[in-house]
């Protein structure tokens, strides 16, 4: 609860849904984070956007990746394997906010 700084009391939280169905019904662009997607920074994130971020070990299922409209990655140094899920989410959300502020 402390980690969210109270945000969980102001945002809708949805649990126990079919993620593929939710992605298909989203009225905007959906971005699945993968290791070999297009650069996050090449995307137009000014429209309604949903980021789908898997865990560090398994990533996203093939079904979820196929359901998403776009596969994206965060460009990193070639010697690095990946970011953890929280760091990846923060980078994606920051880039969206940055683009909206233009």
């Amino acid at each position: 609860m402390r980690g969210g700084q109270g945000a969980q009391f102001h945002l809708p939280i949805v649990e126990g849904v079919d993620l593929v169905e939710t992605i298909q019904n989203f009225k905007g662009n959906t971005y699945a984070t993968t290791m070999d997607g297009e650069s996050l920074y090449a995307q137009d994130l000014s429209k309604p956007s949903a980021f789908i971020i898997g865990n560090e070990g398994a990533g996203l299922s093939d079904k979820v990746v196929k359901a998403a409209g776009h596969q994206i990655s965060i460009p990193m140094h070639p010697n690095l394997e990946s970011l953890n899920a929280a760091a990846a989410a923060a980078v994606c959300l920051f880039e969206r906010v940055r683009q909206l502020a233009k």
Side-chain angles (χ1 to χ4, degrees), residues 4-91:
Q5 297 288 316
Q8 60 272 27
F9 300 115
H10 303 284
L11 297 171
I13 296 174
V14 180
E15 298 179 273
V17 298
D18 180 318
L19 187 53
V20 171
E21 183 180 324
T22 302
I23 291 167
Q24 291 169 340
N25 291 326
F26 181 73
K27 304 270 190 269
N29 294 323
T30 54
Y31 300 94
T33 55
T34 65
M35 294 298 292
D36 48 28
E38 294 182 36
S39 172
L40 164 69
Y41 304 115
Q43 309 307 309
D44 176 3
L45 304 175
S46 64
K47 299 173 179 74
S49 302
F51 297 103
I52 305 116
I53 298 170
N55 66 38
E56 294 90 7
L60 298 169
S61 72
D62 289 340
K63 284 174 62 174
V64 168
V65 171
K66 287 178 185 171
H70 308 276
Q71 289 185 46
I72 60 168
S73 64
I74 299 168
M76 295 186 299
H77 188 278
N79 292 339
L80 299 176
E81 185 177 320
S82 66
L83 296 173
N84 77 19
V91 171

Side-chain angles (χ1 to χ4, degrees), residues 31 40 44-51 90-102:
Y31 300 94
L40 164 69
D44 176 3
L45 304 175
S46 64
K47 299 173 179 74
S49 302
F51 297 103
V91 171
C92 291
L93 294 171
F94 178 84
E95 177 59 13
R96 181 161 196 278
V97 170
R98 188 192 71 76
Q99 287 188 24
L100 290 174
K102 286 184 183 179

